Amino acid sequence: GEGTLNLLGTNLFTGVVRLAGGIVSIGADAALGDAENDVLLAGGSLATTASLSLPATRGLSGSGGLLPAEGTTLSVAGPVEAAGLTLGSKGTLELTNTDLLSIALLTLNAEGSVTGAPLTLQSVVSHLTSGEATIANDLLMGTSTRILSVDAGGTVVLAGDITLGGSAALTKTGLGTLRLTGDNSQLFRVAIGTQGVAPVSGGVIQFDNNTALGTNPVFLNYGTLEALAPLTGASALPVGASMGGRSAAPVIFKGADIELAGSSGLFGS
């Protein structure tokens, strides 16, 4: 069902806690039974009403939601291997396991935060229409092009360092804002928007340091690049830019002064 089940007290059952729909709400880890009971998200969500920690013996997997209450922190010490995880509230999700932290798709539906240990992540989708959500973990994104989509009005902050190898690009889509503030010297490339017969705007990418945009020319297909701090002279960006040339799909530079020390060029349709 789609309703809410409140689990109270200290429960002694053993076995996997499977959340197949609706919400299970807890105020303490003991509500989930034995400390070795894993949590399987199968379309449902786990809500926490107070700051609490799930122990290292309790794994988290599947696809579903986590709803830490505003002003609280849900700390997950166990392994996480999730096909899809949705942060649906304004609290903080702290992931601390250093052996297995893997999320294929992280969806942000509220102005919450994700923090903790380095996280293996494939893609991010934000449905915020105002405010901002923050991912503070260092991100290990593999060697394939990854998509980060932010709906109009919302902002996603990637505050950790991003590793994305091969010749892959971190591609920003959606009309919202992506803010990059980490040391991304292990990020191959950043791209904004898409070109082609029907170009699609990638909204805004904000950045505040000269490694934030990676190590290769930025693909500025269609969208706005906004510097939050002056990056000139000794602080110039070491990369260049490949900039789109369609009048109906412009590339816009905004904010503080920047210098691109690498080779840059324009391309048309």
Side-chain angles (χ1 to χ4, degrees), residues 16-89:
V16 173
V17 180
R18 185 174 185 270
L19 308 183
I23 297 171
V24 170
S25 178
I26 64 172
D29 174 72
L32 296 174
D34 188 88
E36 294 189 0
N37 292 348
D38 290 339
V39 176
L40 173 61
L41 300 173
S45 296
L46 178 66
T48 53
T49 60
S51 292
L52 60 87
S53 297
L54 304 187
T57 52
R58 195 184 300 287
L60 178 68
S61 63
S63 184
L66 294 176
L67 307 171
E70 184 174 2
T72 71
T73 297
L74 168 59
S75 182
V76 179
V80 175
E81 190 169 18
L85 197 61
T86 298
L87 182 62
S89 59

Side-chain angles (χ1 to χ4, degrees), residues 148 150 155-156 158 170 172 176-180 204-206:
L148 200 153
V150 184
T155 297
V156 171
L158 299 187
L170 177 65
K172 164 66 172 63
T177 298
L178 169 63
R179 186 179 305 147
L180 301 173
V204 180
I205 292 180
Q206 298 176 332

Side-chain angles (χ1 to χ4, degrees), residues 88-129:
S89 59
K90 294 184 177 182
T92 297
L93 172 63
E94 181 183 39
L95 305 172
T96 62
N97 192 280
T98 56
D99 294 321
L100 179 59
L101 283 183
S102 177
I103 301 171
L105 170 62
L106 178 59
T107 301
L108 304 169
N109 285 344
E111 299 171 64
S113 299
V114 183
T115 66
L119 172 64
T120 298
L121 182 65
Q122 293 184 19
S123 57
V124 178
V125 172
S126 169
H127 295 305
L128 294 177
T129 57

Side-chain angles (χ1 to χ4, degrees), residues 125-141:
V125 172
S126 169
H127 295 305
L128 294 177
T129 57
S130 63
E132 66 182 47
T134 298
I135 303 172
N137 313 64
D138 291 343
L139 300 180
L140 309 175
M141 305 192 78

